[in-house]
Amino acid sequence: MSELVTGEAVALELRPARLPSRALAVLLDLVAAIAVYVAVTIALVASTASLDEAAQTALSIASFVLVLVGGPIAVETLSHGRSLGKMACGLRVVRDDGGPIRFRHALVRGLIGVIEILMTFGIVACIASFVSARGRRLGDVFAGTLVVRERIPVTRTGFVPPPPPWLAGRFSQLDLSAVPDGLWLAVRQYLTRMQQLDPQVGWSLAERLASDLAARTGAPVPHGIPPAAYLAAVVQERQAREARRAFGGGSGATAAAVPATGPGRSGGADGTGASTASGASASSAFAPPAVPAPPAAPPAAATGSPVVASGGRSEPAREGRTAASDEATGGRRPGTGFVPPA
């Protein structure tokens, strides 16, 4: 890639054309120009048979200059740098700042091209392209132009694996505003190619990316979470936020549909971690280490004296309502800091 800076100080990444594609484009242009020149010559010979030899010679020279020199200049000017051969090869001539060329650029390229392409059979142009870092010939150097590729081969976009279900929604409070786009791109590239990396190399790379991401967010990586799973969970959280911002919260319900249960925790009564089993099967690419299940929260009746309402009477049904609400919310209780009186 070649970085060009426009007049507005905008950096453009353009891919300069290689010598084989440029040579093929020039060859196609020469074949088309010679075919037109031969047709014009035959027409002139047939129409100027009654003229003397000097007039016929002058007309042949004029036709040579107009067709083989003026023709490419006119075509590149009118098509903004796309001749017949360049259109066939997916190339275009642009200025050094990335803008379209004008007549003066095409004129300089065409006049110098007569010397370095027609008179030397392209030898000077090939040597200049080999020496130049951007593959420019002498006509491009003097005209301030560059031949770039317009059609770039489409690469298959890698699939970003989703995080384990037990990490969904866990990083919803992270501040992702300080994470640069370059780090997001590096994390995405790692997640799409981590199955192709050596396990040790992939693990060390994931740890380095996770530490960089944690330094930008201001929150350390939680203990016991594999770095690859942490990266996937944070990327999913960023995508969910962008979707909510773009669609006005329409996809927020989709992101919140997966309960943010911890490892080994389940909404069932047995607490054996059914969701953990399904999460492990769905995210085998991350291979999260086994995390012991946290102890279940004791019931409200075993924590001390019975709860007394503000009216002075006990409410045994409150314990049942609390258990039902905990089950509905996946075992998570809001930390309000409220302590009922004894």
Side-chain angles (χ1 to χ4, degrees):
M1 301 293 262
S2 177
E3 187 175 275
L4 304 179
V5 180
T6 65
E8 292 79 14
V10 177
L12 301 177
E13 288 186 352
L14 300 177
R15 181 171 294 184
R18 301 293 183 181
L19 181 60
S21 59
R22 293 192 60 178
L24 180 60
V26 171
L27 182 61
L28 293 177
D29 290 336
L30 285 177
V31 169
I34 290 174
V36 174
Y37 174 70
V38 170
V40 170
T41 302
I42 293 176
L44 286 177
V45 169
S47 61
T48 61
S50 60
L51 298 178
D52 57 355
E53 184 178 355
Q56 293 180 357
T57 304
L59 287 176
S60 62
I61 294 175
S63 62
F64 175 83
V65 173
L66 289 177
V67 174
L68 294 181
V69 180
I73 295 174
V75 169
E76 285 193 354
T77 303
L78 297 176
S79 63
H80 299 289
R82 297 184 67 192
S83 61
L84 181 63
K86 291 181 176 62
M87 283 191 288
C89 298
L91 307 181
R92 180 189 285 270
V93 182
V94 296
R95 300 196 307 258
D96 278 340
D97 58 355
I101 64 172
R102 301 181 184 275
F103 172 73
R104 58 186 179 88
H105 304 97
L107 178 63
V108 174
R109 293 185 79 256
L111 294 179
I112 299 181
V114 173
I115 301 174
E116 63 175 342
I117 295 178
L118 296 180
M119 293 185 177
T120 62
F121 301 99
I123 297 177
V124 175
C126 291
I127 296 175
S129 298
F130 275 122
V131 172
S132 175
R134 297 179 178 179
R136 302 197 299 176
R137 62 180 179 89
L138 295 180
D140 294 319
V141 174
F142 285 101
T145 57
L146 175 68
V147 180
V148 298
R149 296 178 59 183
E150 279 192 317
R151 295 197 297 264
I152 299 177
V154 179
T155 57
R156 188 177 178 181
T157 304
F159 172 71
V160 178
W166 49 272
L167 282 180
R170 183 162 181 177
F171 304 102
S172 58
Q173 304 299 327
L174 281 182
D175 182 14
L176 305 179
S177 59
V179 182
D181 293 338
L183 183 55
W184 286 123
L185 180 61
V187 171
R188 181 180 175 84
Q189 288 178 347
Y190 164 76
L191 291 175
T192 55
R193 302 176 183 175
M194 64 179 182
Q195 300 297 331
Q196 306 172 4
L197 301 176
D198 181 76
Q200 275 190 340
V201 176
W203 185 270
S204 61
L205 181 59
E207 285 184 337
R208 185 162 65 250
L209 291 173
S211 62
D212 293 343
L213 191 60
R216 295 286 185 173
T217 58
V221 181
H223 180 69
I225 296 181
Y230 167 76
L231 295 174
V234 176
V235 168
Q236 188 192 52
E237 177 62 30
R238 179 176 183 257
Q239 293 175 350
R241 293 183 185 181
E242 291 180 351
R244 285 194 297 267
R245 190 182 307 114
F247 300 102
S251 59
T254 305
V258 183
T261 55
R265 216 183 299 178
S266 175
D270 54 352
T272 55
S275 64
T276 306
S278 63
S281 61
S283 59
S284 58
F286 299 105
V291 181
T303 56
S305 57
V307 178
V308 181
S310 59
R313 55 187 179 85
S314 176
E315 293 184 359
R318 183 179 180 85
E319 179 182 352
R321 291 198 303 269
T322 306
S325 62
D326 290 346
E327 182 177 358
T329 58
R332 292 181 282 105
R333 298 183 180 182
T336 59
F338 174 76
V339 179

